[in-house]
Amino acid sequence: MEMHQVRYFLAVARLLNFTRAAEECNVTQPSLTRAIKQLEAELGGDLFRRERPAAQLTELGQRMHPLLQQCHDAAAGARMLASSFKSGEIGALRIALTHSIDLSLLIPHLDQIRRQFNRLEFRFLRGSSQEVGEYLKKGEAELGIAAELSADWDRLDTWPLFTEDFHLVTSKHHPLAGRDSVGFDDLRSEQLLSRNYCEHSERLGRSLRERGIAVDRSHEISSERDLIELLEADIGIAVIPHTSVIPDTLKRTSLDGLDSRRTVNLYGVAGRQRTAVASAVVRMLRGADWQHFLNRTTIG
């Protein structure tokens, strides 16, 4: 599979017209059609129904579209990194994260960028969802990552990265730790530790309250480090996101019937010029295989 084939496919999928797609890609229509036929032969089926007046994606084309888009975005990000490296551009990546986002989500991508720049500096800012929004507004951060930011500013660019479930976490010595899954009846006599710094905490608390859990009598925690220490001391239990990293001293268990989920988003400022490094990070994170990352983060 060649990248020009992917680019031609995405152009036709967007315009639903082979002639206009060829003009946009600056190639002749026979060349574009031939490249797409070669791609179809490699993938084992038609990607388009060649109808008039507009082409239509086949079922195979619809299934392949997000994968090929991801491939294209990742390649574009890699090219931008390489270009910045050749030009000798050195700078700082300023990124703001809410307290509930684990930095381990970014480590593989940051490590890749760091290897491309000899003197690249990272600046990480932490805060509540409101504070992260302010960092972006004031230009103190180029990018932000959060489960949710206030929607009262219309200049935010928002790109969903992945959606994840919440799980119950206890110490390994807790009576519930040996279970494959637990129900809400099992929690009613337990002391809950509430992650009030999480932008999803109110929604999660409402969901637990509706199922008879005494959220109002929970211990209020202000940081992940404090939460882990209290869990290790067996002072309470907590409901945390799937991607939150926990030590081996704790146990993660499925909570049956919990319908609360959160979507982690990447944020930027619309219309504001970004550095080449920040632009490459946007492409890299949007093109990442987050499902593979979620599958590696198992319950246990």
Side-chain angles (χ1 to χ4, degrees):
M1 182 186 302
E2 302 290 340
M3 286 310 302
H4 72 277
Q5 295 172 321
V6 175
R7 184 163 59 91
Y8 296 169
F9 165 81
L10 293 174
V12 177
R14 184 176 67 259
L15 299 172
L16 298 179
N17 185 288
F18 278 72
T19 301
R20 290 170 56 196
E23 293 173 352
E24 181 179 281
C25 296
N26 198 28
V27 296
T28 63
Q29 183 174 336
S31 296
L32 180 139
T33 301
R34 184 166 54 252
I36 288 181
K37 284 186 176 294
Q38 292 171 347
L39 181 60
E40 289 175 326
E42 190 168 344
L43 296 177
D46 291 341
L47 297 172
F48 297 99
R49 291 191 295 273
R50 281 116 172 124
E51 300 176 351
R52 294 182 182 276
Q56 299 294 330
L57 283 168
T58 63
E59 183 177 352
L60 176 61
Q62 292 173 357
R63 290 179 177 272
M64 293 303 302
H65 185 273
L67 299 177
L68 294 177
Q69 182 69 61
Q70 183 182 88
C71 177
H72 178 271
D73 289 345
R79 284 196 300 270
M80 185 171 290
L81 277 176
S83 176
S84 298
F85 177 68
K86 289 179 181 179
S87 67
E89 181 176 336
I90 304 297
L93 175 63
R94 294 170 288 116
I95 187 166
L97 305 93
T98 55
H99 295 298
S100 70
I101 300 297
D102 201 296
L103 192 60
S104 64
L105 298 173
L106 301 180
I107 295 301
H109 309 287
L110 297 179
D111 186 56
Q112 182 178 348
I113 294 170
R114 181 181 57 82
R115 291 198 301 268
Q116 300 292 329
F117 295 88
N118 292 328
R119 295 184 359 237
L120 177 64
E121 298 176 355
F122 295 127
R123 183 185 182 193
F124 300 108
L125 302 171
R126 286 284 188 178
S128 64
S129 59
Q130 182 176 357
E131 289 169 333
V132 168
E134 287 298 315
Y135 289 141
L136 291 170
K137 283 184 181 181
K138 295 177 180 177
E140 296 178 23
E142 287 189 272
L143 303 174
I145 299 181
E148 186 176 317
L149 289 186
S150 173
D152 60 358
W153 193 37
D154 59 5
R155 288 193 58 193
L156 280 179
D157 277 332
T158 305
W159 301 287
L161 299 180
F162 60 86
T163 300
E164 62 180 333
D165 296 316
F166 284 78
H167 299 129
L168 178 71
V169 174
T170 66
S171 75
K172 281 202 169 181
H173 305 294
H174 194 281
L176 296 178
R179 308 264 296 271
D180 292 331
S181 63
V182 298
F184 291 104
D185 289 341
D186 300 310
L187 305 187
R188 292 195 173 96
S189 61
E190 299 292 338
Q191 178 64 57
L192 187 67
L193 305 175
S194 293
R195 302 164 66 253
N196 290 342
Y197 50 88
C198 177
E199 52 271 37
H200 201 77
S201 62
E202 287 189 15
R203 199 173 306 166
L204 177 62
R206 187 163 55 248
S207 180
L208 293 172
R209 193 178 292 109
E210 290 172 353
R211 288 159 178 81
I213 308 302
V215 177
D216 297 333
R217 296 200 301 270
S218 62
H219 296 319
E220 296 184 4
I221 312 303
S222 59
S223 73
E224 292 282 91
R225 181 172 181 177
D226 292 345
L227 177 71
I228 288 174
E229 290 186 358
L230 291 170
L231 287 169
E232 288 179 326
D234 215 1
I235 291 177
I237 63 174
V239 179
I240 69 172
H242 179 76
T243 54
S244 293
V245 176
I246 61 173
D248 293 338
T249 51
L250 303 180
K251 172 72 175 179
R252 194 193 312 260
T253 309
S254 292
L255 183 54
D256 291 340
L258 181 64
D259 58 2
S260 188
R261 310 183 80 197
R262 76 169 188 172
T263 297
V264 173
N265 300 301
L266 173 66
Y267 294 92
V269 180
R272 183 180 293 170
Q273 185 174 1
R274 285 187 287 270
T275 63
V277 177
S279 296
V281 170
V282 170
R283 290 181 179 273
M284 188 177 297
L285 295 182
R286 294 183 66 191
D289 184 0
W290 292 106
Q291 189 57 52
H292 177 70
F293 178 84
L294 293 173
N295 290 341
R296 288 193 296 109
T297 312
T298 57
I299 297 176

